[in-house]
Amino acid sequence: FPVTITGGGLCNVSIGSSSSILGGACNTASGYRSTSVGGSNNCATCSFSTLVGGQQNISSGCHSFLGGGQSNIASGSWSGVVGGLSNCATSVFSSVVGGCGNIASGYGSFVGGGITNIATAPCGFIGGGRGNTASGGYGSVVVGGISNNATSFGSIVVGGIGNSSTGAWSFLGGGEGNN
């Protein structure tokens, strides 16, 4: 039995079957059992997507979660974004926690903050920093630093500036301009 609930706020639209909006302004819950709580101009558009607070956020992946911030997108199924500005979690099980302009687009990838970091590798991990990339091979890791790249299976860069770990299962501890 589809029940749609809108509780308080201003100009909210709850049109998904069994969807709900609790407060806020100009929020939309259009997915089946989607939820939007507070904030403004937010959209929860896929089945079981949840959006809590913030502004101009989109939780469009099924079972996705978006918690606050501004202009963030959680579009992968079971993806999540928590806070920050202009962050995107676009693949299944991907997540971004804070920062600005970060992208987690690999299956199960994670970016833990910082600025303009990109994790495209399946199960890629970036802890933070600026302009880091975990790409290519499964499980590539950049812990932090600036403009570091981990581009092969299991490759790791701990920190530093402009370092690249390009061989399978390779490790680079830090420094500057190392390969």
Side-chain angles (χ1 to χ4, degrees):
F1 176 140
V3 176
T4 300
I5 299 170
T6 302
L10 174 69
C11 299
N12 292 312
V13 179
S14 182
I15 57 176
S17 177
S18 301
S19 65
S20 58
I21 295 180
L22 303 173
C26 302
N27 295 311
T28 301
S30 60
Y32 173 71
R33 292 193 177 177
S34 62
T35 303
S36 180
V37 179
S40 63
N41 298 303
N42 295 312
C43 297
T45 63
C46 197
S47 297
F48 303 100
S49 58
T50 302
L51 208 150
V52 179
Q55 297 177 335
Q56 300 166 336
N57 295 308
I58 300 171
S59 183
S60 60
C62 294
H63 303 274
S64 63
F65 175 83
L66 205 149
Q70 182 174 352
S71 301
N72 295 309
I73 298 171
S75 62
S77 294
W78 294 282
S79 66
V81 175
V82 179
L85 173 66
S86 299
N87 295 310
C88 298
T90 62
S91 186
V92 176
F93 304 122
S94 62
S95 55
V96 176
V97 179
C100 178
N102 296 305
I103 299 171
S105 62
Y107 176 91
S109 60
F110 175 85
V111 177
I115 300 170
T116 61
N117 295 304
I118 301 172
T120 62
C123 296
F125 174 92
I126 297 177
R130 183 180 74 213
N132 297 309
T133 304
S135 63
Y138 188 91
S140 299
V141 173
V142 175
V143 177
I146 300 170
S147 300
N148 294 310
N149 300 298
T151 62
S152 190
F153 289 92
S155 60
I156 298 171
V157 176
V158 175
I161 300 172
N163 296 307
S164 294
S165 183
T166 59
W169 313 112
S170 59
F171 175 87
L172 213 155
E176 183 173 354
N178 296 304
N179 285 318

